Each structure stands twice: as structure tokens, then as C-alpha cells.
Amino acid sequence: MAASRLPFPLTLTGDGILLREWRSEDLDDLVRMLDEPEIARWTPMPSPFDVEAGIAYLKRCYQNRVTGQRIQLAITADGGRPLGEVLLFGVDLGLKEAELGYLVDVRERRRGLASGALSLLSAYAQSSLHLSRLLLRIDPRNVSSTAVARRCGYRLTGEPPILQEGPHGSSRLDTWELVEHQSGRRSDRLKNVAARRYGRRT
Ligand SMILES: CC(C)(COP(=O)(O)OP(=O)(O)OC[C@H]1O[C@@H](n2cnc3c(N)ncnc32)[C@H](O)[C@@H]1OP(=O)(O)O)[C@@H](O)C(=O)NCCC(=O)NCCS
């Protein structure tokens, strides 16, 4: 990786998912996806999330991408309609650490998209960006997000919670760290994704 810039543009594929750069044509899908109560509850997105917020979001995203500040990719099946978003930000090259985040369209949840996207970006961060400490910050009441973290090999670090005040009151964000090497989990993940497609668990 260049000393301080994250790669742009970037496409990552695997496990039936394609992560791609956001495009201006995604505006309508982005607004429909982000204007949703769970996203308002658990992420710092403005609420209501209207067209104006969407335009500002895509503009900021593009600036962060061209300046190499963060990785912010649309989750898609085949490069088409965005189904969610996965991010890597707060990169500290000295500590080799970064934080990741994710969200999925309410109509596309419980299909393994967040876990698939997080696994792909985590594997890329480890193997191509050589980041060894990958972190998630999650409110323990957000059961779907903690399930995603656990499924992808992240574990609670035991660090003191980060206290935050927001429109929904106070929250305490726990820190999770990736502890299982991605390549070691690949066969398990593929097995589970296949099981989900066929409606049963392994
Ligand atoms: C959190 C979120 C991204 C999960 O997306 P998703 O694509 O539905 O997640 P997955 O399908 O990959 O699910 C992964 C695991 O979480 C579990 N899970 C998902 N939603 C769940 C829910 N509402 N309750 C309990 N478990 C849930 C799945 O069953 C799966 O567990 P498994 O390993 O036992 O099968 C989605 O609910 C969302 O966008 N929430 C709002 C934004 C948000 O909270 N972002 C994270 C901020 S920290």
C-alpha cells in the first residue's frame, strides 16, 4: 500500500458478492436504503435521510475515496443495484489498525450479505493493506451487528466501552477485534453460506 493512501478505485469479489465504488446513479437507491429506522438507530446517519443528505453523502464519500482516507464500497450481487455498504476507516499505519463498519438494505437482511462483505473487506485489509488489528465498535444492544461480528471471527476485546450521546440517548460501544485468520475460516464460511442458500444450518 502507498504510504498513506488507500487504493482507489477498488472492486472486491467473493462468495457471491461484489463490492464496488459508489456512483452518482446510486442516489435513489442510497436514499431509500439509508432512510430506515434501524440504520438511524445504530449508525451516525442523519435521519430522515433525504435526497439532500444523499447528495452530500455521495460527495463526501467520493472525496474520502480520491484522497485515500477510507474505503467505502457498495455491497452488490453482481456490480448492479446497491444492497448495502461496507467501510474501512480510521486507519493508523503505525499501529497497523483500522475500523470497519457495515449496513444492509432492510429488504436484503438475513441473507449473509453483511457477513460476506465484512469477511471480504477484512481479508483484503489483512492481505493487501497489511493491517493486523481490525476493529468494530458495536452497541451490545445491536444484536444483528454483534451476530455479524461473531460470525466473521471478531471477538470482544474487553476494552472499556466508548460512551456516546446521540439522538437516541446514551450508548456504549464495545470494541471487537478480528482474531481468526480469514483464510482459516474460508471453508467454514462457504459451508455456512451454502447451507443458508438451501435453507438449513450446518
Ligand atoms: C447489522 C446488519 C448490517 C446485518 O446485516 P445482514 O446482512 O442481515 O447480516 P447477515 O445476514 O450477514 O447475518 C449475520 C448473522 O447475524 C444474524 N442476524 C442478522 N440479523 C439478526 C437479527 N435481527 N437478530 C438476530 N440475529 C441476526 C444472522 O442470523 C447471522 O447469524 P448466523 O451466523 O447465526 O447465521 C443489518 O441488520 C443492518 O443494516 N442494521 C442496521 C445498521 C447497523 O446496525 N449497522 C452496524 C452498526 S455497528
Side-chain angles (χ1 to χ4, degrees):
M1 184 177 66
S4 58
R5 290 190 172 206
L6 295 166
F8 171 78
L10 182 64
T11 305
L12 300 175
T13 52
D15 294 356
I17 288 176
L18 189 152
L19 306 180
R20 64 152 170 84
E21 300 294 341
W22 282 100
R23 308 169 183 146
S24 50
E25 310 89 88
D26 293 325
L27 178 62
D28 290 346
D29 286 320
L30 177 83
V31 170
R32 190 189 33 72
M33 183 160 73
L34 296 197
D35 192 28
E36 191 270 326
E38 288 287 299
I39 290 176
R41 176 75 184 87
W42 302 118
T43 75
M45 297 298 169
S47 177
F49 194 97
D50 55 14
V51 171
E52 200 183 329
I55 292 169
Y57 192 79
L58 287 177
K59 191 172 164 194
R60 215 167 36 249
C61 168
Y62 182 73
Q63 280 163 353
N64 283 326
R65 293 299 291 126
V66 289
T67 54
Q69 298 297 299
R70 47 168 67 189
I71 292 177
Q72 186 167 356
L73 300 172
I75 305 172
T76 74
D78 52 8
R81 189 169 69 81
L83 309 173
E85 177 177 73
V86 62
L87 308 98
L88 180 139
F89 55 100
V91 177
D92 186 322
L93 292 174
L95 296 174
K96 295 189 178 230
E97 103 179 5
E99 190 174 334
L100 293 93
Y102 39 82
L103 58 86
V104 165
D105 188 329
V106 66
R107 300 177 306 175
E108 308 289 344
R109 290 181 188 157
R110 309 299 296 257
R111 291 177 42 206
L113 285 173
S115 334
L118 178 63
S119 292
L120 263 182
L121 188 54
S122 300
Y124 175 78
Q126 286 180 320
S127 61
S128 299
L129 306 180
H130 309 295
L131 295 170
S132 51
R133 190 157 191 259
L134 300 182
L135 304 173
L136 305 173
R137 300 246 152 75
I138 308 176
D139 187 311
R141 295 169 294 180
N142 188 350
V143 288
S144 46
S145 186
T146 56
V148 171
R150 220 171 265 116
R151 184 178 170 80
C152 293
Y154 284 78
R155 297 292 176 261
L156 278 168
T157 60
E159 285 171 38
I162 299 163
L163 305 176
Q164 278 191 334
E165 285 302 324
H168 300 274
S170 21
S171 61
R172 341 162 352 121
L173 301 183
D174 289 332
T175 299
W176 296 66
E177 180 176 358
L178 184 61
V179 293
E180 291 172 37
H181 197 274
Q182 293 296 305
S183 57
R185 300 250 313 150
R186 188 173 162 75
S187 59
D188 284 351
R189 279 190 294 117
L190 289 176
K191 197 167 68 174
N192 287 334
V193 166
R196 195 191 315 253
R197 283 197 187 117
Y198 291 98
R200 64 184 167 75
R201 300 277 163 147
T202 52

